[in-house]
Amino acid sequence: MKIVAANRLTDGETVWLGAGERWVDTIDAAHVAKDAEDEARIAAAGKLALAANIVIDVSLVDVELVDGRVFPKRLRERIRAGGPSIHPEIGKQARVAAQHAA
């Protein structure tokens, strides 16, 4: 299974290709390709967004589903999804915690 990750050109935020080929801010909203044909389709969508200067650093990311959540296999991608591992008070992980506290 794979997803497409990138960085939004306007602010550098890590984003993922979601349903309807929209770029989403949370990895759990990413579209998960489960076969080679779907992987090719989302990779092509990522390349189009790169060519249109919407995102940069477009890549296919290996993931697995753990308890219904999208979980990257590589540490680098887990850090991109959550934030710095030594500073849980910053990054996307802090935003999620703040939303649950409110």
Side-chain angles (χ1 to χ4, degrees), residues 16 27 61-64 71-86 93:
W16 297 269
I27 194 168
V61 174
D62 291 315
V63 296
E64 56 190 352
F71 192 74
K73 291 184 176 180
R74 292 187 57 208
L75 176 60
R76 175 184 187 265
E77 298 304 328
R78 281 184 243 145
I79 292 171
R80 287 179 78 191
S85 58
I86 59 171
Q93 59 201 352

Side-chain angles (χ1 to χ4, degrees), residues 45-102:
K47 287 180 183 177
L48 284 174
L50 175 66
N53 291 324
I54 297 169
V55 293
I56 58 173
D57 193 21
V58 177
S59 61
L60 280 174
V61 174
D62 291 315
V63 296
E64 56 190 352
L65 296 177
V66 178
D67 296 328
R69 299 193 67 195
V70 178
F71 192 74
K73 291 184 176 180
R74 292 187 57 208
L75 176 60
R76 175 184 187 265
E77 298 304 328
R78 281 184 243 145
I79 292 171
R80 287 179 78 191
S85 58
I86 59 171
H87 290 289
E89 71 278 7
I90 60 175
K92 291 180 185 275
Q93 59 201 352
R95 289 182 224 151
V96 171
Q99 289 172 346
H100 290 289

